[in-house]
Amino acid sequence: AGICYDIYEYLGAHVRKKEGVDGVNFAVWAPNAVRVSVVGDFNEWDGRCHQMRRLGNSGIFELFIPRVRTGDNYKYEIKIHGGIAVLKSDPYGFFAQLRPETASCVCNIDKYKWNDDEFVANRADFNSTDKPFSVYEIHPGSFAKPDDGREFLNYRELAEEIIPYVLKMGYTHIELMPVMEHPFDESWGYQVIGLYAPTSRYGSPEDFMYFIDKMHQNGIGVILDWVPAHFPKNDYGLAGFDGTCLYEHLDPRKGVHPHWGTLIFNYGRPEVSNYLIANALFWVEKFHADGIRMDAVASMLYLDYGRKDGEWIPNMYGGKENLEAIEMLKHLNSVMAERNPGVMMIAEESTAWPMVTEDVEEGGLGFT
């Protein structure tokens, strides 16, 4: 139905104990796959070892594997019609190998002990529209560089560099260019391939939690750039995930961005809109983000965005509005407001679309 707002607690890789045995429970949505196996460090990447069981007609494959541990690398080997097997990283993976490697990594994100209860409790007042508001946008990879030969500072080191500067300059919030896992440094994070994983360039999920925690302890709000408008075609990602266009549209007139060479989510498929809605909630509820700045909203709203006549398909009323994307945005903004009052939902919207920040009940998109 598209309303399992904590779907990331069920799909993906989760450290569990079953019948007294430690291990990891894996689950993935791949309804059109012939067979799905978990492959990784623990089975020599051999798809014959840990074949997953199909859960009825749900399209979900699941398996508990004993003795798999935090830090183990894994992928799903998906056998598609025609006998071909493809290796895919986990759409719900919480951590990934450092590029150019592409496997997901088993990670328990529930161990961090937060110290920002007071800040989070007062978030609605802190983000109130009658308070001063000044945002400093940061690309974590280039704010500061280590002097010991490493490429990047760790999230924890970045916190110590950023906090004094932000306080000195009088900013109330920082906005991070996308920290979600991405394959290409020069994209600055805007070509996301692991929506549920903070990029390993700067450390672990726990390191990133520490970063946000330290910001809050110093009275600084954190806004995350978030990219639900498109995703790259890399063969280990969501593209053609189970041998079909599962997350994207089949017709390139709806499923491919001509400007960026990327794929467009099928917002009308409940499992896909759920994937995105739960992800925005994930960054707020698991990582304590104070705002979500949604990238390229204009490209989501218009079916003819970046296209010439004949290169796009009108909606059911003959118009150019993407009705499915509009519904997804309204759904997300409504749920976020209900579950996390005070969290800002910010639209990068560069056209004259009406009522972007009007309440959903009044016909608006519901951004704050």
Side-chain angles (χ1 to χ4, degrees), residues 37 51 74 87-88 93 130 144 147 173 215 221 273 335 338 342:
S37 302
Q51 298 181 32
Y74 72 97
L87 289 175
K88 294 288 188 178
D130 61 358
D147 54 13
H173 297 71
M215 294 297 151
S273 65
V335 171
E338 179 182 341

Side-chain angles (χ1 to χ4, degrees), residues 178-298:
V179 296
M180 300 80 189
E181 194 57 77
H182 52 282
F184 187 50
D185 290 5
E186 284 75 2
S187 78
W188 292 351
Y190 290 96
Q191 305 240 359
V192 177
I193 207 157
L195 271 172
Y196 282 84
T199 177
S200 54
R201 288 168 177 80
Y202 318 126
S204 68
E206 199 164 281
D207 292 334
F208 186 49
M209 290 175 176
Y210 174 92
F211 175 94
I212 296 180
D213 201 1
K214 290 294 285 188
M215 294 297 151
H216 287 171
Q217 291 172 44
N218 286 273
I220 301 167
V222 180
I223 300 165
L224 300 182
D225 274 13
W226 186 61
V227 190
H230 62 119
F231 61 94
K233 297 178 179 179
N234 300 58
D235 56 11
Y236 64 91
L238 297 179
F241 189 77
D242 64 353
T244 69
C245 293
L246 191 62
Y247 285 86
E248 69 272 32
H249 285 279
L250 175 62
D251 193 320
R253 291 175 296 175
K254 295 182 71 175
V256 178
H257 264 305
H259 282 178
W260 304 322
T262 49
L263 301 175
I264 301 171
F265 285 104
N266 183 348
Y267 305 109
R269 180 168 283 169
E271 298 90 343
V272 175
S273 65
N274 198 153
Y275 175 75
L276 295 170
I277 291 169
N279 184 248
L281 294 167
F282 169 81
W283 291 109
V284 170
E285 296 174 4
K286 288 291 187 180
F287 284 83
H288 294 199
D290 305 294
I292 298 292
R293 180 267 193 187
M294 203 176 302
D295 183 67
V297 169

Side-chain angles (χ1 to χ4, degrees), residues 5-181:
Y5 302 125
D6 61 348
I7 186 64
Y8 53 82
E9 299 283 12
Y10 305 97
L11 296 182
H14 296 274
V15 177
R16 296 278 190 265
K17 178 174 285 192
K18 290 196 175 184
E19 299 179 6
V21 178
D22 291 323
V24 174
N25 201 82
F26 295 91
V28 63
W29 179 56
N32 302 297
V34 175
R35 188 195 79 191
V36 183
S37 302
V38 185
V39 296
D41 295 337
F42 40 85
N43 63 12
E44 304 296 329
W45 298 86
D46 188 338
R48 296 169 297 181
C49 297
H50 292 110
Q51 298 181 32
M52 306 175 79
R53 61 182 183 133
R54 186 189 294 267
L55 300 183
N57 296 319
S58 66
I60 292 171
F61 289 80
E62 182 264 353
L63 187 67
F64 175 77
I65 306 179
R67 293 176 292 282
V68 174
R69 297 172 296 180
T70 298
D72 283 348
N73 299 313
Y74 72 97
K75 284 187 178 182
Y76 298 112
E77 183 184 275
I78 300 177
K79 192 170 184 179
I80 63 179
H81 289 281
I84 300 170
V86 294
L87 289 175
K88 294 288 188 178
S89 59
D90 192 342
Y92 288 89
F94 295 145
F95 194 39
Q97 283 183 299
L98 179 63
R99 55 88 180 99
E101 302 302 324
T102 58
S104 300
C105 306
V106 175
C107 183
N108 185 350
I109 63 169
D110 294 322
K111 297 187 298 180
Y112 184 78
K113 304 299 182 186
W114 290 89
N115 300 286
D116 63 349
D117 291 354
E118 183 177 353
F119 187 93
V120 172
N122 294 317
R123 178 190 279 150
D125 181 60
F126 183 78
N127 284 342
S128 172
T129 53
D130 61 358
K131 295 289 178 65
F133 189 86
S134 183
V135 184
Y136 181 50
E137 184 181 26
I138 297 173
H139 176 245
S142 53
F143 178 83
K145 292 289 188 180
D147 54 13
D148 57 5
R150 290 177 296 150
E151 276 191 283
F152 303 112
L153 292 175
N154 181 276
Y155 290 112
R156 295 173 187 260
E157 296 169 316
L158 277 168
E160 304 308 318
E161 295 279 343
I162 290 170
I163 288 169
Y165 180 77
V166 169
L167 294 177
K168 175 185 175 183
M169 298 300 289
Y171 292 106
T172 60
H173 297 71
I174 61 171
E175 175 194 334
L176 296 177
M177 292 184 179
V179 296
M180 300 80 189
E181 194 57 77

